[in-house]
DNA sequence: TTGAAAGCGCTACCAA
DNA sequence: TTGGTAGCGCTTTCAA
């Protein structure tokens, strides 16, 4: 006859509250000497049932003692819905403007009792990614940028997302849209330069991949602002490196430009320095304007003119999300949220 | 006799695949004419069972047709574990350095088949937040910054987190630690200034809340570098605004400093401009050094000296996480990951 | 005032 | 090769 070693599971009676695994509401119930239902009532402050104060205390005490933490997945599985708002993290590093916006938005949604989660998207193409997001069954999805097609929206909605909101250059069929038309940035910049008497205008287009989504519309906006005026627009590819700026500045005489919209303040600072080093006077020979109104831009001499960009307020967007969640049947709203204003300093 | 209008639920036989709710594996099974078990086998490419090619195709076809997306919560509830790595989003807007690091890390973890999720923490105090994170039952938690106590770590572990890793200034009982000792930044900066012959050294301390976690150790590091040398260290509160810098620069003569470590390149640029405007010559009267090696710092004249900070590589950290998850019993590792090097340019 | 039990969607064991 | 089924942790009727 042979004997076999058997490992006794440590949830046996001999080890009442083994720390090997997370305590469940059943554990709490056992310790408090009540049913699981009662535990649920107490911990969720259910108003429909009346539980004696003594029982409440016992349950709370037991939960605290065990370090009970409810299981969100189990809860939302049972409930059929969650309070998770999913937001794919932008693939490219994004500036302080956007960071502040996201942070404010998270706060506002948190106050409405949503849990905001940024999904580390990496570089998965649109409708593929939508499936991954849908697996989490978020109640709402906020998608910065673009790359999501109507098909992706449908996947999300079919899997229970009650609100899909895109924050990007164009609206997508079936989703709410916060239109951030970067064309207006280029439009404002070019309009300003034209008003200052400039007629041969360069527009910096970053070579960094991933910025095309912003730079293309900005260039197009500049073109549109000058359409029919006789002024010219020249696209100027530029990498975010000193070398690249130096090379571009060296070509300046042959380009014959009298102004440049440099995509944003960082590229503007880079280019302006290179131009000055190459003997181009700013703003006399060439006017320069950036965007984003970074503090650092004000430190240069001449102080950098810029296009200030106003993103929507967090509470405002949170409100939209909440409304959409409450009434998923409502037709998609489209808001143009990117407001823009020119801040003229000394470089233009 | 009275009649009552009854709304026929659209999951009835008359509407086989109503889009009202997300299709489940049972729906797929029904459409394919197989059992739910078979659906699970096919869609998960289970190797333990052999399913005929014809059946596989039928199942796949049905899933595609219904737009079936598996329910992650149900899956991990059943499995008892998830592949979610949770990372609280830092409360304060953080620079490109850190963004790049996070992005790289996400990629690396993604390649190891983890799902990275940034939890919008807002400003919940440490051990309170830990409970919220624990509700999601992540398999690992990466905590940037600090503010989490041993109690929080325990909560996370008890609720199933197999790896808890802190990325911050000090290690926490029970958790793996990637020690990012910002003292070394101050140490390197002050050491450099001393080696350049400076003896009365200012250290900028940002007034912005939330930066204290970085600025305090940097200041302390500078003090430590100069301990016993006879050189002095003066803390210089500075807000990230032109006014504040102007006021500080106005006090410069009375401060009698011959060098300043300006927290980082941004504050350094701000202060250097103000100093120059106030007639202080850089580096002759006062040497200036920042940190982070921003491109923009090279654009100033004199070019800004800086302390370059090297964060750990994403794959390296991903490896650590994966190891910790595989072997949760292993003792916590502590790695000093913040490497630092001085880049001298013209301002020091 | 409390408890028993069903069931959310999924996977894995065991039988057929 | 496929199906039946238990059960993960939770909430919520319905009964007692």
């Amino acid at each position: 006859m042979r004997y076999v070693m058997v490992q006794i599971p440590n949830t046996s009676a001999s080890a009442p509250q083994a720390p090997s695994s997370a305590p469940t509401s059943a554990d709490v119930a056992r310790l408090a000497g009540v049913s699981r239902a009662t535990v649920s009532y107490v911990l969720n402050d259910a108003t429909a049932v009346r539980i004696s104060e003594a029982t409440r205390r016992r349950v709370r005490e037991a939960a605290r003692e065990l370090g009970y933490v409810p299981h969100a997945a189990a809860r939302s599985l049972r409930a059929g819905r969650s309070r998770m708002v999913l937001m794919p993290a932008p693939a490219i590093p994004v500036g302080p403007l956007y960071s502040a916006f996201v942070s404010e938005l998270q706060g506002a949604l948190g106050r409405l009792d949503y849990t905001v989660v940024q999904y580390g998207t990496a570089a998965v193409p649109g409708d593929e990614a939508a499936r991954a997001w849908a697996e989490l069954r978020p109640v709402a999805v906020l998608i910065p940028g673009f790359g999501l097609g109507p098909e992706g929206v449908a996947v999300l909605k079919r899997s229970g997302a009650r609100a899909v909101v895109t924050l990007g250059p164009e609206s997508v069929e079936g989703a709410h849209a916060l239109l951030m038309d970067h064309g207006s940035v280029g439009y404002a910049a070019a309009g300003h330069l034209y008003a200052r008497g400039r007629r041969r205008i360069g527009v910096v287009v970053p070579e960094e991949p991933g910025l095309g989504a912003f730079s293309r519309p900005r260039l197009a906006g500049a073109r549109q602002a000058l359409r029919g005026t006789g002024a010219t627009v020249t696209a100027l590819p530029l990498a975010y490196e000193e070398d690249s700026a130096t090379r571009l500045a060296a070509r300046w005489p042959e380009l014959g430009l009298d102004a440049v919209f440099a995509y944003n303040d960082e590229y503007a600072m880079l280019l302006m320095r290179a131009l000055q080093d190459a003997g181009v006077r700013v703003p006399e020979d060439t006017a320069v304007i950036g965007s984003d109104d970074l503090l650092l831009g004000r430190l240069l001499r001449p102080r950098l003119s810029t296009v200030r960009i106003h993103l929507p307020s967090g509470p405002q967007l949170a409100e939209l999300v909440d409304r959409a969640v409450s009434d998923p049947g409502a037709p998609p709203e489209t808001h143009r949220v990117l407001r823009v204003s020119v801040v003229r300093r000394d470089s233009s």
Side-chain angles (χ1 to χ4, degrees), chain A:
Chain A
M1 190 180 275
R2 303 179 56 209
Y3 292 91
V4 179
M5 291 293 287
V6 175
Q7 191 184 2
I8 299 171
N10 52 13
T11 49
S12 73
S14 63
Q17 53 233 49
S20 80
S21 179
T24 73
S25 75
D27 295 325
V28 176
R30 201 151 32 234
L31 183 59
V34 299
S35 76
R36 279 152 65 223
T38 304
V39 171
S40 177
Y41 291 143
V42 172
L43 296 185
N44 293 310
D45 288 320
T47 51
V49 282
R50 309 222 64 76
I51 307 273
S52 71
E53 195 48 49
T55 306
R56 302 187 101 83
R57 220 183 350 258
R58 280 221 314 290
V59 169
R60 292 227 167 78
E61 175 63 24
R64 216 181 38 69
E65 184 173 331
L66 293 177
Y68 171 71
V69 176
H71 193 305
R75 173 178 293 180
S76 61
L77 179 59
R78 165 68 223 224
R81 65 209 151 64
S82 74
R83 296 287 287 178
M84 181 195 297
V85 175
L86 187 142
M87 204 155 98
I92 51 165
V94 74
L97 214 72
Y98 184 80
S99 299
F101 164 65
V102 168
S103 171
E104 198 193 357
L105 173 62
Q106 284 186 346
L109 281 171
R111 251 164 276 129
L112 294 176
D113 204 37
Y114 292 97
T115 295
V116 181
V117 148
Q118 281 182 264
Y119 189 96
T121 169
V124 196
D127 290 351
E128 181 69 21
R131 188 153 291 111
W133 304 336
E135 291 192 3
L136 298 181
R137 297 292 193 274
V139 69
V141 186
L142 306 185
I143 306 158
F146 56 113
L148 186 79
E151 195 51 53
V153 175
V155 167
L156 289 169
K157 290 198 144 176
R158 201 169 337 111
S159 63
R162 292 165 68 96
V164 179
V165 184
T166 62
L167 293 75
E170 47 194 31
S171 63
V172 179
E173 176 76 30
H176 299 272
L178 263 48
L179 275 187
M180 317 217 303
D181 175 19
H182 284 261
S184 59
V185 181
Y187 191 96
H192 167 73
L193 294 173
Y194 185 84
R196 303 288 303 163
R198 310 291 170 152
R199 292 298 177 266
R200 301 180 50 78
I201 296 176
V203 174
V204 166
V205 180
E207 288 177 351
E208 277 67 29
L211 259 42
F214 305 114
S215 62
R216 260 190 310 272
R218 289 184 187 194
L219 173 60
R223 287 227 158 88
Q224 191 191 337
L226 301 179
R227 185 151 12 252
T229 64
T232 64
V233 169
T234 307
L236 304 171
L238 173 63
Y240 192 59
E241 298 157 8
E242 284 189 284
D243 278 359
S244 179
T246 304
R247 281 196 301 275
L248 177 56
R251 289 171 48 217
W252 215 250
E254 75 192 64
L255 286 167
L257 302 173
D258 61 8
V260 59
F261 164 50
Y263 179 68
N264 72 11
D265 285 355
E266 294 187 296
Y267 284 84
M269 291 172 78
L270 177 62
L271 179 57
M272 191 160 100
R273 161 55 60 195
L275 288 176
Q276 289 174 324
D277 286 350
V280 177
R281 292 171 308 161
V282 178
E284 294 82 354
D285 301 333
T286 297
V288 176
I289 187 169
S291 79
D292 292 0
D293 193 17
L294 296 189
L295 173 55
L296 295 182
R298 288 173 232 169
L299 305 181
L300 298 190
R301 296 297 178 267
R303 287 163 174 267
L304 184 63
S305 295
T306 194
V307 178
R308 189 180 291 161
I309 298 177
H310 310 260
L311 291 176
S313 85
Q316 193 179 325
L317 175 48
E319 198 67 34
L320 167 65
V321 170
D322 193 41
R323 239 182 309 128
V325 166
S326 316
D327 182 10
E333 301 178 28
T334 295
H335 299 277
R336 303 177 56 91
V337 293
L338 202 147
R339 294 277 171 272
V340 135
S341 59
V342 172
V343 180
R344 188 171 91 79
R345 301 218 170 86
D346 310 321
S347 67
S348 67

